[in-house]
Amino acid sequence: DGVLHPLTTQIFRERGRILEPHLHQVEALTKAKANKSFVVTTGTGSGKSLCYFLPIIDEAIRERQKPDFKPRTRAIVVYPMNALANSQYEGLTEFLNQCGIPEAQRPRVRIYTGQESREKREEVRDNPPDILLTNFMMLELLLTRQSELDAQVIGNARGLRWIVLDELHTYRGRQGADVAVLVRRLRDQLCRGTGEPVCIGTSATMATPDQGDPVKAVAKVASDLFGVAVTDDCVIEETLQP
């Protein structure tokens, strides 16, 4: 129906067949296309990462079709552990490598967690990826360290369109407060005057029934963490089919 660019469907294939999105992935895509921040709380292994990679990749492809396109980082995805970031990087890279799209039109994703060589970090600085995968400690360093390299990497994300916090339930207590402040500083430094970014959170274990209304609980936590209003209708749950 034209919601996704044809090249996007060319990327998301498995064994040559176009992936058919599940209901929660369609709902997430609808929210993203409406520029609404949202949280996905479906179960482990349900494909939560596609809920944000689909709209982000689609937007990157559309931007690369424009004659005045200039490379910049449009999305920052934050993981609580490097192992998760590495796994997601490998999975997304596999999709991109098999798509057959010319390199100039193909979205670029890079990882920046502090484990990379100087050469790889310089490549991220000199060739801004559309999507940057990192962890919250490295993101803190990018915002505060005074090195020219780090300053340029984060500077390449000015006008940031997407902020993603994976495993949202890990950000509680003092660490949650630190990350909440970090997201606000990120928005202030990169998005002032360019419009609010879409904020996306994912978690398979976000709320339990003894917390009253789980949807309201999740919406409140997400609103507190991102510093933007995440309404109840933007909490995407799973719908199980017997």
Side-chain angles (χ1 to χ4, degrees), residues 22-33:
H22 295 287
L23 180 59
H24 64 285
Q25 293 164 340
V26 174
E27 290 176 355
L29 186 60
T30 301
K31 300 296 183 189
K33 288 288 184 178

Side-chain angles (χ1 to χ4, degrees), residues 35 59 63 72-75 154-163 183-198:
N35 288 321
E59 183 176 273
E63 288 298 315
R72 69 180 177 92
T73 298
R74 310 186 62 80
I154 200 69
N156 289 337
R158 202 164 306 282
L160 189 68
R161 278 276 297 133
W162 309 86
I163 299 174
V183 171
R184 285 158 174 77
R185 287 166 46 222
L186 185 70
R187 287 170 45 217
D188 183 63
Q189 184 164 326
L190 300 179
C191 306
R192 187 186 295 182
T194 62
E196 283 293 328
V198 175

Side-chain angles (χ1 to χ4, degrees), residues 7 23-24 35 51 56 69 76 83 94 98 103 105 126 140 152-153 157 165 171 196 199 207 225:
L7 292 181
L23 180 59
H24 64 285
N35 288 321
C51 289
I56 292 172
F69 168 75
I76 293 179
E94 190 174 331
Q98 55 88 44
E103 193 167 343
Q105 300 176 39
D126 298 335
E140 173 75 36
Q152 188 58 52
V153 167
L165 292 181
Y171 304 117
E196 283 293 328
C199 297
L225 274 170

Side-chain angles (χ1 to χ4, degrees), residues 1 25 54 65 96 111 152-153 157 169 178 189 199 235:
D1 57 5
Q25 293 164 340
L54 267 172
Q65 301 295 311
L96 291 166
I111 194 165
Q152 188 58 52
V153 167
H169 59 272
D178 286 344
Q189 184 164 326
C199 297
V235 176

Side-chain angles (χ1 to χ4, degrees), residues 7-8 20 26 31 33 38 45 58 74 78 82 98 118 127 131 136 139 141 181 184 191 195 201 207 215 218 226:
L7 292 181
T8 304
E20 193 166 325
V26 174
K31 300 296 183 189
K33 288 288 184 178
F38 61 90
D58 190 66
R74 310 186 62 80
V78 183
N82 287 346
Q98 55 88 44
R118 172 93 186 176
N127 301 290
I131 305 171
F136 62 90
L139 187 56
L141 292 173
V181 172
R184 285 158 174 77
C191 306
V215 170
V218 171
F226 287 118

Side-chain angles (χ1 to χ4, degrees), residues 27-229:
E27 290 176 355
L29 186 60
T30 301
K31 300 296 183 189
K33 288 288 184 178
N35 288 321
K36 291 185 176 181
S37 297
F38 61 90
V39 181
V40 183
T41 63
T42 57
T44 302
S46 61
K48 290 186 292 297
S49 59
L50 279 182
C51 289
Y52 53 84
F53 280 139
L54 267 172
I56 292 172
I57 289 287
D58 190 66
E59 183 176 273
I61 283 176
R62 292 175 189 275
E63 288 298 315
R64 285 176 171 269
Q65 301 295 311
K66 296 179 179 178
D68 59 346
F69 168 75
K70 290 183 180 178
R72 69 180 177 92
T73 298
R74 310 186 62 80
I76 293 179
V77 185
V78 183
Y79 297 94
M81 295 180 294
N82 287 346
L84 280 172
N86 293 334
S87 174
Q88 292 289 319
Y89 176 70
E90 290 171 7
L92 189 54
T93 300
E94 190 174 331
F95 274 125
L96 291 166
N97 286 344
Q98 55 88 44
C99 68
I101 298 172
E103 193 167 343
Q105 300 176 39
R106 190 189 311 167
R108 296 178 68 252
V109 56
R110 290 293 181 268
I111 194 165
Y112 203 93
T113 62
Q115 298 177 319
E116 298 75 35
S117 65
R118 172 93 186 176
E119 183 182 7
K120 287 187 176 180
R121 287 184 286 136
E122 287 176 347
E123 195 266 341
V124 172
R125 176 196 64 189
D126 298 335
N127 301 290
D130 300 276
I131 305 171
L132 188 69
L133 311 183
T134 188
N135 58 62
F136 62 90
M137 290 299 294
M138 190 69 235
L139 187 56
E140 173 75 36
L141 292 173
L142 282 170
L143 286 173
T144 56
R145 285 204 298 212
Q146 301 301 308
S147 76
E148 179 274 334
L149 195 157
D150 286 339
Q152 188 58 52
V153 167
I154 200 69
N156 289 337
R158 202 164 306 282
L160 189 68
R161 278 276 297 133
W162 309 86
I163 299 174
V164 180
L165 292 181
D166 195 55
E167 304 291 349
L168 208 63
H169 59 272
T170 60
Y171 304 117
R172 53 181 178 261
R174 178 174 176 176
Q175 182 170 291
D178 286 344
V179 171
V181 172
L182 176 63
V183 171
R184 285 158 174 77
R185 287 166 46 222
L186 185 70
R187 287 170 45 217
D188 183 63
Q189 184 164 326
L190 300 179
C191 306
R192 187 186 295 182
T194 62
E196 283 293 328
V198 175
C199 297
I200 304 170
T202 70
S203 173
T205 56
M206 193 65 187
T208 52
D210 60 357
Q211 292 175 297
D213 185 341
V215 170
K216 289 188 180 299
V218 171
K220 183 180 185 309
V221 170
S223 298
D224 289 344
L225 274 170
F226 287 118
V228 300

